[in-house]
Amino acid sequence: MRREKGGFWVGAAAALFYPVTWLARRVYLEAGRIPQEGPALLVFNHVSHLDPAVDAVFVHRNKRVPRFMAKDTVASTPIFGKIFLGSGGIPVYRGSATAGDSLRAAHQALRDGKVVVIYPEGTVTKEPGSWPKKSFTGAARLALENDVPVIPIARWGTQDVLDFYHKKLRLLPRRTVTHSVGEPIDLSAYRDKEQTAPLLREVTDLLMDRVTELLEAVRGEQRPAGKPRA
């Protein structure tokens, strides 16, 4: 399978991000579940500000070009903003009149056969133990309106390298970062239903439950009591 072409800005991102991944030992579990061609929606948890760089390399190593959905503030940063937009990133204008435009751009990317990466939590979790926080429903809308593989992925270990909230950067000894890829989520029971707020919440919780199940296996521990299971 040939690598998906990405152009200049994807090459620039690779030149920047690949060296960053050497800050950690990488473990990939079931990475072959990422489609080698055609559209896919990749649903990740979010534990560190290092995640986008590490996840971009992970997807790129699987010969695909990731199109990240991220807060619009990312697009306005001097260097990363150009790389983000130039490589097909999709800015999310949450809480504004243009919020729908973000989803339209993501819908179009999927219709064009691209891989879209989304963090339903919207930001790095602050939950105790770095377990997933309550998530936004945009991922559910994308998953229901596009009949594409929806693939849960748990990533763990980046929080041990960079903890921006507590201003901690640990370069040595090298930590282990693990990506665990789950089976595509079957949403056929939901696709023909009206997209009400309760339905979107149910599907969102289902998506993140699958991610959390993978995370439990990677961590070798169960989520805290009270964290819902779909």
Side-chain angles (χ1 to χ4, degrees):
M1 173 64 187
R2 293 182 178 180
R3 181 180 299 279
E4 181 183 355
K5 293 182 179 180
F8 172 80
W9 286 110
V10 171
L16 180 63
F17 292 155
Y18 267 74
V20 170
T21 65
W22 287 103
L23 296 173
R25 294 183 293 269
R26 298 175 302 281
V27 176
Y28 298 155
L29 303 176
E30 303 292 351
R33 289 173 174 165
I34 295 179
Q36 294 295 291
E37 58 184 1
L41 180 64
L42 307 185
V43 182
F44 284 80
N45 64 315
H46 204 357
V47 296
S48 169
H49 290 85
L50 188 61
D51 291 344
V54 172
D55 296 342
V57 170
F58 168 69
V59 176
H60 194 254
R61 284 183 178 275
N62 281 277
K63 303 185 185 302
R64 299 304 306 269
V65 175
R67 272 72 179 183
F68 281 82
M69 297 186 69
K71 290 184 290 188
D72 61 295
T73 52
V74 173
S76 62
T77 56
I79 297 176
F80 290 108
K82 287 188 175 181
I83 293 176
F84 171 71
L85 293 174
S87 59
I90 303 168
V92 178
Y93 300 91
R94 194 173 291 127
S96 71
T98 53
D101 293 335
S102 299
L103 287 183
R104 278 193 287 273
H107 287 305
Q108 188 61 53
L110 291 171
R111 286 194 290 268
D112 290 342
K114 310 302 183 183
V115 168
V116 173
V117 174
I118 189 168
Y119 301 112
E121 296 165 90
T123 188
V124 175
T125 181
K126 291 184 179 180
E127 290 290 299
S130 295
W131 291 96
K133 63 185 281 292
K134 185 175 181 179
S135 299
F136 294 95
T137 59
R141 293 179 184 276
L142 288 173
L144 291 174
E145 294 181 27
N146 298 276
D147 192 7
V148 303
V150 179
I151 301 174
I153 303 176
R155 177 243 315 95
W156 184 247
T158 47
Q159 77 289 340
D160 291 330
V161 180
L162 176 62
D163 182 350
F164 186 79
Y165 287 145
H166 297 95
K167 299 181 180 179
K168 293 181 180 179
L169 175 65
R170 308 175 185 89
L171 301 181
L172 294 173
R174 292 174 71 200
R175 269 61 177 185
T176 297
V177 172
T178 301
H179 285 84
S180 180
V181 185
E183 295 278 5
I185 301 172
D186 183 7
L187 297 175
S188 57
Y190 298 94
R191 294 195 186 280
D192 293 332
K193 294 182 179 180
E194 181 183 358
Q195 289 189 21
T196 62
L199 179 74
L200 292 171
R201 172 49 52 195
E202 181 178 347
V203 173
T204 299
D205 291 344
L206 171 62
L207 300 182
M208 291 309 297
D209 180 67
R210 295 294 181 267
V211 172
T212 307
E213 286 178 348
L214 295 168
L215 187 59
E216 287 177 321
V218 169
R219 296 177 59 166
E221 57 185 312
Q222 293 187 337
R223 71 193 79 183
K227 286 288 183 181
R229 291 181 181 274

